[in-house]
Amino acid sequence: MRTVVVFGAGVGLGAAVARRFGAAGYRVALVARDETRLGALVLELAADGIEAAAFPADLTRTAEIPGLIGRIRERFGRIDVIEYAPITTDLFVRATDLDVATAQHYVDLYLLTPVAIVREVLPEMLERGDGGILVGQGVSAVRPMPNLSGLGPAMAAARNYILSLNGEIAASGVYAGVLHIAAMIRGSAGHQIATSGKLSVGVDFSKIPVVEPADLAETLWTMLTKRDRPEDVVPAAA
């Protein structure tokens, strides 16, 4: 049986990806910091007949990735697809306020840890001649916007990496793709924070569209199975 690893398995996109791949027969490894939330999601998936296991981890600790991947392999034996879409609770930083320590945090989470994961899983995918590396991130990676920096520069670097990677490995049967999300994901932690009224970053969140996590999961599934594009933006620009 095939295995998908969902990095950043939260209540929005991560849970939806787990359900979409699980419905297609994949076993699911769930990775995030919140052990209680992961345990609840494992039970929810089990109720739907999906085999899943939780692997609590802090994805900013890049040096711990080899050990994490090792534990997942011990449990499932193989890794066929990874989906990487973590989110932080401190969503936005103005470019004028961005400092080195904050930038390093985002670089660790959105660039260096994905690179470390790929280094661990890519050899087995190339050996089999099949596999998938999926990244979900904010649209500020491709559309820089005032008041919405912080994550954007690190995500832009990740985009460069994933697109370059796909160009190198696609002919070997392994796909790498990135989905840029130009909306808030309904029910996600980010959506809850953005609509709480507690953020003051010069952005009118009521004007930002809201997308369903299941629709995003379906887009990622289509990108992986059709392999007709290495990146996409949802919703599409008008």
Side-chain angles (χ1 to χ4, degrees), residues 92-95 140 144-153 201 203 205 208:
F92 305 110
V93 177
R94 292 185 177 93
S140 60
M145 292 172 282
N147 302 307
L148 297 180
S149 188
L151 290 73
V201 292
V203 176
F205 290 103
I208 297 177

Side-chain angles (χ1 to χ4, degrees), residues 77-217:
R78 58 184 285 163
I79 295 172
D80 298 273
V81 177
I82 66 114
E83 186 266 345
Y84 192 88
I87 193 65
T88 65
T89 55
D90 49 337
L91 296 180
F92 305 110
V93 177
R94 292 185 177 93
T96 52
D97 296 330
L98 185 61
D99 57 30
V100 171
T102 303
Q104 183 65 61
H105 170 79
Y106 290 134
V107 167
D108 289 342
L109 182 60
Y110 292 108
L111 176 62
L112 299 185
T113 290
V115 170
I117 292 169
V118 170
R119 295 289 294 177
E120 293 297 316
V121 304
L122 184 59
E124 69 174 292
M125 293 180 180
L126 292 174
E127 184 177 354
R128 285 196 301 263
D130 188 31
I133 297 162
L134 302 170
V135 171
Q137 59 183 23
V139 76
S140 60
V142 293
R143 301 177 192 163
M145 292 172 282
N147 302 307
L148 297 180
S149 188
L151 290 73
M155 289 181 171
R159 174 188 183 239
N160 180 293
Y161 170 67
I162 292 296
L163 295 183
S164 298
L165 181 66
N166 186 68
E168 296 167 5
I169 65 178
S172 300
V174 183
Y175 171 82
V178 55
L179 177 62
H180 308 289
I181 304 167
M184 292 185 288
I185 303 172
R186 189 182 305 279
S188 68
H191 183 211
Q192 294 170 23
I193 293 168
T195 57
S196 68
K198 298 179 181 179
L199 291 178
S200 179
V201 292
V203 176
D204 185 354
F205 290 103
S206 68
K207 295 182 179 179
I208 297 177
V210 178
V211 294
E212 299 296 332
D215 293 340
L216 297 175

